[in-house]
Amino acid sequence: MDPTTAGYAAIIILILLIFSRMQIGIAMGLVGFVGFACIVGLDPALGLLKTVPYTTFASKDMSVIPLFILMGSFAFSAGMSEDLYRAVHKLLGHLRGGLAMATVVACACFAAISGSSLATAATLGRVAMPEMRKYKYHASLATGAIAAGGSIGILIPPSVILIIYGIITEQSIGKLFLAGFIPGILEALFYIVTIAILTRRNPSLGPPGPRATGKEKLLSLVKVWEVVVLFLVVIGGIYTGVFTPTEAAGVGAFGTLCFALMRRKMTWEKFKLSLSGTINTTGMLFLIVMGAMLLGYFFSVSRLPFELATVASGLPVNRYIILVLILLVVLLLGCIMDSMAIVLLTIPVFYPIILKLGFDPIWFGILVVRVTEMGLITPPVGLNVYIIQGITGERMETVFKGVVPFIIADICEIILLILIPQLSLFLPGLMMG
């Protein structure tokens, strides 16, 4: 079989395996191994199976993933998410839709020490939903705001998805973190404006709550100083060149543990749960990464990505049309697959095309992650939607109805990021070291 034809056949088989509910990492590894064996031979494929796991996981770059996951676990155990929500609640709760806005802002802030959309949505969902029910918020707005706000977690640094993208494409993880900062803030602002428009048209969706006193606002802000310190140390250290991303992750995890102990909320049971949760999540992610690496070797020998890049660059259409088509594929996959799996599956195929078309790889990484975020709340699957439905007990139709305005806001922001690449590239251009 022609290697390129084998590449197309492998993609079809992989999609069928995924729909058969095979674990995505195993599916990618199996297709990669069998495909490599068919083209190169069984012995080289077995050699690949022996060397890839070690060379992948022995890399010090991979240690940044469990450290940032551990940082988020410690932050959750320390109760930082609850304090963040209460602080923003005091500042915005008196506005129409203020609690929904507070949820979005708290999600953005917690994302700065978590790096996971699903964890952010689950954590803030448990905190915010009871409050919004208390003040008689409409269920669609409440659940929509939590699901959409939770999706910010994989864009605002530190982001596990951006780390994986940086490792695959050999781009600077520090620059990717900085590139995601402004788009992440813009995403939160777009959501806040969406909530303001919805509640202006229909005030009953989000009635205003009581206005907090100046003293209450100040006291609530004092309780979240640890989050500010952690973010400034981790991201500031990367920006100034004081830390590598791996060192910053270690400092962040240790600092979060220290703050949790200072708050006297880190019990021995919570500590064990944080470690076991980090191990489980890391193991799952590493299995997916290993499968993607095997698949990547197969794609290399099949030359499928390079053939596609040649075809795409020769098409008589504007390069932005090809970019939009790529992003649509990512969005469609985002509706049915985990965000990590999407990046690992699509980037080896699409990255050579992007380079051939002359697009900036840092900018493209932010666009991919942003579109993947959108997939987290887009029907028919939308993983964040299912998490919020499970936490709140609301009907699925209610949650999907609630996220529709936020999907429109997502489309508007993605168009803006495409039209103005400097929104993503300005901060990385200032990076020291």
Side-chain angles (χ1 to χ4, degrees):
M1 183 185 292
D2 176 69
T4 304
T5 305
Y8 287 116
I11 291 177
I12 295 171
I13 294 170
L14 180 60
I15 292 171
L16 292 175
L17 290 175
I18 291 170
F19 275 105
S20 70
R21 298 186 179 277
M22 179 181 285
Q23 206 276 345
I24 183 67
I26 296 174
M28 289 192 291
L30 181 62
V31 171
F33 172 76
V34 174
F36 194 89
C38 290
I39 295 175
V40 182
L42 181 59
D43 288 339
L46 290 172
L48 200 65
L49 202 58
K50 289 190 294 185
T51 57
V52 167
Y54 176 78
T55 55
T56 299
F57 304 134
S59 169
K60 67 175 183 179
D61 292 335
M62 294 296 291
S63 63
V64 71
I65 296 175
L67 287 171
F68 273 130
I69 294 172
L70 185 61
M71 178 179 170
S73 297
F74 285 156
F76 174 75
S77 298
M80 292 183 180
S81 56
E82 291 91 337
D83 288 340
L84 276 170
Y85 179 75
R86 292 192 185 99
V88 188
H89 179 180
K90 297 293 184 185
L91 296 174
L92 302 176
H94 63 283
L95 302 174
R96 273 190 306 225
L99 293 185
M101 296 177 187
T103 301
V104 170
V105 175
C107 283
C109 294
F110 189 69
I113 53 174
S114 172
S116 167
S117 282
L118 300 181
T120 302
T123 302
L124 270 299
R126 294 188 184 93
V127 178
M129 194 64 193
E131 285 295 312
M132 286 192 271
R133 280 177 173 155
K134 177 181 176 181
Y135 289 100
K136 299 182 173 14
Y137 270 59
H138 196 280
S140 63
L141 176 63
T143 54
I146 298 169
S151 70
I152 303 174
I154 60 173
L155 186 59
I156 291 183
S159 163
V160 174
I161 302 294
L162 287 176
I163 293 170
I164 293 296
Y165 178 87
I167 292 172
I168 294 174
T169 61
E170 298 182 347
Q171 295 296 316
S172 165
I173 294 173
K175 288 185 176 181
L176 284 166
F177 278 1
L178 293 176
F181 187 71
I182 292 177
I185 298 300
L186 274 177
E187 182 180 358
L189 290 175
F190 269 76
Y191 288 165
I192 290 171
V193 171
T194 299
I195 294 166
I197 292 171
L198 291 173
T199 53
R200 183 178 179 84
R201 292 178 60 187
N202 184 0
S204 65
L205 288 176
R211 184 184 292 271
T213 64
K215 182 179 180 181
E216 288 174 331
K217 292 178 181 178
L218 183 61
L219 288 174
S220 65
L221 287 174
V222 168
K223 290 183 179 180
V224 298
W225 66 272
E226 300 106 318
V227 177
V228 178
V229 170
L230 284 170
F231 182 78
L232 290 177
V233 169
V234 172
I235 304 303
I238 294 173
Y239 174 75
T240 57
V242 174
F243 303 136
T244 65
T246 304
E247 292 166 346
V251 170
F254 179 72
T256 309
L257 175 61
C258 290
F259 286 136
L261 292 172
M262 287 170 56
R263 286 167 163 246
R264 298 183 179 179
K265 291 192 176 181
M266 181 58 76
T267 63
W268 178 243
E269 284 303 315
K270 286 184 177 180
F271 181 73
K272 289 194 295 183
L273 282 174
S274 296
L275 293 181
S276 63
T278 299
I279 291 169
N280 290 336
T281 304
T282 302
M284 178 192 69
L285 293 179
F286 276 17
L287 180 61
I288 296 174
V289 170
M290 186 179 71
M293 291 296 181
L294 289 170
L295 187 65
Y297 277 101
F298 164 64
F299 280 150
S300 295
V301 297
S302 73
R303 296 199 57 78
L304 175 64
F306 308 103
E307 293 290 338
L308 289 175
T310 302
V311 171
S313 61
L315 291 174
V317 295
N318 188 288
R319 61 178 184 155
Y320 283 93
I321 294 177
I322 299 173
L323 173 67
V324 171
L325 291 175
I326 289 173
L327 295 179
L328 284 175
V329 171
V330 174
L331 175 60
L332 291 173
L333 290 174
C335 299
I336 59 174
M337 289 173 60
D338 175 71
S339 54
M340 174 73 70
I342 295 166
V343 171
L344 288 166
L345 178 61
T346 60
I347 294 305
V349 177
F350 292 144
Y351 187 68
I353 299 175
I354 291 301
L355 293 182
K356 192 82 172 179
L357 294 174
F359 288 118
D360 187 284
I362 298 287
W363 173 69
F364 176 67
I366 299 304
L367 289 178
V368 166
V369 171
R370 187 64 189 84
V371 173
T372 302
E373 278 186 322
M374 187 175 167
L376 288 171
I377 60 172
T378 303
V381 179
L383 293 177
N384 272 17
V385 173
Y386 280 87
I387 285 178
I388 299 307
Q389 190 275 332
I391 291 172
T392 63
E394 297 291 341
R395 296 190 340 175
M396 190 61 69
E397 307 90 86
T398 302
V399 187
F400 274 124
K401 179 183 176 183
V403 298
V404 169
F406 297 100
I407 292 174
I408 296 171
D410 282 339
I411 293 170
C412 293
E413 196 211 353
I414 290 168
I415 291 172
L416 186 64
L417 293 177
I418 293 173
L419 293 176
I420 311 176
Q422 280 302 114
L423 290 173
S424 304
L425 300 176
F426 174 70
L427 288 180
L430 300 176
M431 185 174 173
M432 303 177 187

